[in-house]
Amino acid sequence: DAGVTQSPTHLIKTRGQQVTLRCSPKSGHDTVSWYQQALGQGPQFIFQYYEEEERQRGNFPDRFSGHQFPNYSSELNVNALLLGDSALYLCASSTTGAGNTIYFGEGSWLTVV
Amino acid sequence: QQQVKQSPQSLIVQKGGISIINCAYENTAFDYFPWYQQFPGKGPALLIAIRPDVSEKKEGRFTISFNKSAKQFSLHIMDSQPGDSATYFCAASTTDSWGKLQFGAGTQVVVTP
C-alpha cells in the first residue's frame, strides 16, 4: 500500500516564475493538506482540500493556490516566486473526520534562485 | 505568532538515557496533541498522540505527559537509542479544524553511542 507520494522530489526555479507540485494521497484518503517547511523550522499549514474544494487556509498569500481532482490527488501552485518561497513542501492526507491519523509524504524541495 | 512553543532547540543524550522535550500552547481550543518524528530527507511520521482527557499516554519507549491547567505537554523517550536521532516536532489541532496542525519549531535529538 503506497503512502503519500509527491513529485517532483527536487526542483529549482527562478524568482518570478511559477511552480506546480503534485500529491497523491494514501489509498482510501480523501482529504489533502499542504504544508511549507523552511529549513530548521516546523511545517506551516498552507491549505486543505476536501471534495475538490478548499476547506481551510492558513496565513499564506493568494500566490499560493491549489486544486484537488476527483481521484483525490492534489496540486499546489505558487505564482510569482520569491526567494523566501524556498522550502520543503509537504503533502499530508487523511480520511475526513476528527481523530483520523494524518500521514505525510516525503516532500518536494523547492529552491528559488 | 507561533501558537505552539517547543524547547529545547536541540539536545544530546547518551545511549540508554532519557530525552525530554517540552511544548506549551495558548489556544485552549486545542484538543489533539501529536508528536512527529522526522529524519533528514523524509517527511514527518506520527509517533504518538494524546487528547486532553488523559494526563499520560505510553507507547513502547515513548511517553506523552499532558498538563491541561498549565497548557503544557512533553515527550519522554526512555532508553534512547542511536536510531532515535532525529528531529521531533510537537503539534496541536482542534477537532473543528482537523488536519490543520500547528507545529512547534522542532527539537534535534542526537543520541551518542
Side-chain angles (χ1 to χ4, degrees):
Chain A
D1 175 26
V4 180
T5 58
Q6 294 185 241
S7 64
T9 305
H10 296 82
L11 70 167
I12 300 173
K13 290 288 187 177
T14 302
R15 191 170 45 183
Q17 284 188 318
Q18 179 263 347
V19 67
T20 297
L21 307 178
R22 296 174 176 83
C23 172
S24 292
K26 184 177 171 62
S27 178
H29 286 187
D30 55 11
T31 302
V32 174
S33 300
W34 287 91
Y35 290 79
Q36 179 194 66
Q37 185 177 19
L39 200 61
Q41 297 183 22
Q44 299 291 317
F45 178 81
I46 302 175
F47 44 53
Q48 180 185 73
Y49 277 84
Y50 172 68
E51 291 189 338
E52 302 180 50
E53 292 195 359
E54 183 181 293
R55 185 161 67 174
Q56 301 185 77
R57 190 177 183 92
N59 189 24
F60 278 80
D62 292 344
R63 298 187 297 108
F64 290 78
S65 63
H67 189 77
Q68 185 178 36
F69 299 94
N71 67 352
Y72 307 119
S73 67
S74 177
E75 288 182 349
L76 164 65
N77 300 290
V78 186
N79 295 321
L81 284 167
L82 304 174
L83 296 179
D85 295 332
S86 295
L88 177 67
Y89 289 85
L90 295 163
C91 175
S93 75
S94 68
T95 51
T96 193
N100 297 315
T101 300
I102 299 165
Y103 294 86
F104 282 82
E106 296 194 348
S108 294
W109 279 102
L110 170 65
T111 301
V112 182
V113 297
Chain B
Q1 78 273 17
Q2 195 171 23
Q3 295 198 36
V4 180
K5 296 184 179 180
Q6 183 172 349
S7 63
Q9 189 173 11
S10 63
L11 68 92
I12 300 174
V13 62
Q14 285 191 331
K15 179 182 175 181
I18 302 173
S19 304
I20 302 174
I21 306 170
N22 301 298
C23 283
Y25 64 96
E26 288 298 324
N27 186 353
T28 55
F30 286 144
D31 58 5
Y32 175 69
F33 302 90
W35 284 89
Y36 281 82
Q37 179 188 57
Q38 186 175 30
F39 293 104
K42 301 292 186 182
L46 179 65
L47 200 58
I48 186 172
I50 198 169
R51 289 196 176 270
D53 53 345
V54 298
S55 59
E56 186 174 282
K57 182 175 181 180
K58 183 177 180 179
E59 288 186 3
R61 296 184 294 108
F62 301 93
T63 300
I64 298 179
S65 297
F66 186 82
N67 186 328
K68 188 174 181 178
S69 60
K71 292 186 286 186
Q72 295 176 348
F73 58 110
S74 60
L75 176 69
H76 291 63
I77 306 174
M78 313 300 287
D79 187 26
S80 296
Q81 300 296 311
D84 296 332
S85 297
T87 300
Y88 293 81
F89 293 95
C90 61
S93 179
T94 68
T95 299
D96 291 343
S97 299
W98 191 257
K100 183 179 180 180
L101 293 166
Q102 302 283 349
F103 281 87
T107 297
Q108 186 174 17
V109 174
V110 174
V111 182
T112 59

